[in-house]
Amino acid sequence: MKIVVLDGYTENPGDISWEPLEALGDVTVYDRTSYEESPLIAERIGDAEIAVINKTPISRATIDACPNLKAIAVLATGYNVADYEYAKEKGIPVMNVPVYGTDNVSQFAVSLMLEACSHIGFHSDSVHAGEWASNQDWCYWRFPMIEVSGKTAGIIGLGKIGVNTAKILNALNMKVIAFDTFQSEAGKAVAEYVDLDELLEKSDFIFLHCPLFPSTQGIINKDNIARMKDGVILINNSRGPLVVEQDLADALNSGKIACAAVDVVSTEPIKPDNVLLTAKNCIITPHISWATREARERIMQTTADNIRAFREGKPVNVVNK
């Protein structure tokens, strides 16, 4: 079985092994191919039976140009980079990794909140730049320091990651409220379900942990921002298009939102003219909530398990049944 990995560098920049895939067949790994439609994609797939992708797209044209392609494995949960509907028409299953990073995504979300409250990175940089050594006082801070204990955190989207984040916030002595169209017993154990308006009005911190659907796209917009507390802090390490970025930038620049800490933006990699780059008090990290070694090893193993199950005629984690 021929397996081609089209953009393997993000999954494995060299600190883990491709051995779980190599045990299944003849594997060719390209660090990078293209994030845009390109004839090179089909050229590199060639006569391979399995294409493994992260963000390299596989379009209708690519599928038609690769008649030996039997399955597509995605090294991620999101699978919209593949034309999965056309793949279904051609009898090609698209398999993803549905769960791999619950703990580290929650860890990162809370880290973003704590950075927004304590500005540890900024102050460390200032010390290394000599500001403490030349300071006339024994200590200093350049931003207000915020204590989270006793504050209210609102979570939009109380699935597995949202529940896990809520557990951490509870341990920090925060009151946790949540909005989700589906209410679970696991959610009720860690948060109080409220409607969206109440969450917006009562939260000192708002976490986005919801998937990107038509109903959630742009859920953070000027109208919903107007319903928020003055000085609220927004954390988003879910999906960039949940936020209308111009509306968020306006709210940051006016002070309505005191700080935003985001790991995702509307177009990735971020465009040089993204309005959040010049907005006040906006922490931006390059979509790395998922990227611990432990999580990437789980992605690798699940992808290998997906391919093995397909080879055995019992495919799993198929998103286009």
Side-chain angles (χ1 to χ4, degrees):
M1 176 179 285
K2 286 189 176 182
I3 302 169
V4 173
V5 182
L6 290 170
D7 54 335
Y9 185 83
T10 303
E11 161 66 11
N12 179 17
D15 58 344
I16 62 176
S17 172
W18 291 107
E19 186 175 341
L21 296 190
E22 291 169 343
L24 299 173
D26 179 11
V27 178
T28 300
V29 178
Y30 296 99
D31 281 347
R32 301 169 186 85
T33 298
S34 174
Y35 295 147
E36 305 292 338
E37 177 66 18
S38 167
L40 181 62
I41 299 170
E43 179 183 324
R44 286 187 167 179
I45 294 173
D47 63 352
E49 296 155 282
I50 310 289
V52 181
I53 60 173
N54 192 324
K55 296 296 181 288
T56 292
I58 294 188
S59 66
R60 174 186 292 253
T62 297
I63 292 170
D64 285 341
C66 301
N68 204 44
L69 185 63
K70 301 293 192 300
I72 299 167
V74 185
L75 293 160
T77 301
Y79 51 86
N80 61 326
V81 290
D83 190 335
Y84 54 89
E85 293 292 355
Y86 187 63
K88 179 180 179 180
E89 290 180 26
K90 304 291 283 188
I92 299 171
V94 176
M95 304 168 291
N96 75 335
V97 183
V99 178
Y100 64 87
T102 300
D103 288 336
N104 49 281
V105 174
S106 296
Q107 171 186 312
F108 204 92
V110 176
S111 297
L112 288 172
M113 178 190 73
L114 295 176
E115 178 63 21
C117 292
S118 301
H119 298 279
I120 293 169
F122 173 89
H123 287 100
S124 175
D125 288 345
S126 76
V127 170
H128 283 282
E131 192 170 353
W132 196 13
S134 62
N135 199 71
Q136 63 180 345
D137 300 310
W138 68 272
C139 74
Y140 64 93
W141 56 93
R142 295 292 175 251
F143 293 92
M145 308 296 281
I146 300 171
E147 182 175 289
V148 300
S149 178
K151 301 291 196 305
T152 297
I155 301 176
I156 300 177
L158 203 61
K160 290 181 180 179
I161 294 173
V163 166
N164 206 55
T165 298
K167 290 177 182 178
I168 302 172
L169 299 176
N170 285 330
L172 292 172
N173 194 37
M174 301 183 75
K175 175 179 173 59
V176 183
I177 59 178
F179 168 74
D180 199 308
T181 54
F182 173 77
Q183 299 187 10
S184 69
E185 292 305 313
K188 291 175 183 177
V190 294
E192 174 190 351
Y193 282 105
V194 297
D195 63 30
L196 181 59
D197 281 348
E198 184 174 351
L199 183 145
L200 296 172
E201 292 165 4
K202 290 185 175 180
S203 297
D204 300 296
F205 302 87
I206 294 177
F207 291 80
L208 300 182
H209 282 316
C210 51
L212 180 62
F213 293 137
S215 59
T216 59
Q217 183 167 350
I219 194 169
I220 302 301
N221 55 55
K222 61 182 179 181
D223 293 332
N224 281 340
I225 290 171
R227 296 182 176 92
M228 297 177 187
K229 279 185 174 183
D230 291 346
V232 66
I233 291 175
L234 177 73
I235 295 93
N236 182 21
N237 63 332
S238 181
R239 292 290 182 264
L242 296 171
V243 175
V244 179
E245 289 174 336
Q246 185 62 63
D247 293 352
L248 174 57
D250 291 343
L252 287 165
N253 291 332
S254 72
K256 171 68 178 181
I257 294 179
C259 181
V262 304
D263 186 46
V264 289
V265 292
S266 57
T267 301
E268 298 172 349
I270 195 168
K271 300 294 185 184
D273 61 352
N274 187 297
V275 292
L276 296 181
L277 288 171
T278 53
K280 295 179 180 177
N281 300 326
C282 190
I283 298 165
I284 307 173
T285 52
H287 202 148
I288 52 174
S289 296
W290 66 281
T292 62
R293 177 173 177 164
E294 295 86 348
R296 289 183 289 109
E297 287 176 337
R298 286 191 289 270
I299 292 171
M300 183 77 76
Q301 189 57 58
T302 302
T303 300
D305 292 344
N306 287 346
I307 294 172
R308 182 179 296 105
F310 167 77
R311 188 177 64 179
E312 294 172 354
K314 300 175 182 178
V316 296
N317 296 323
V318 177
V319 301
N320 63 337
K321 292 180 181 178

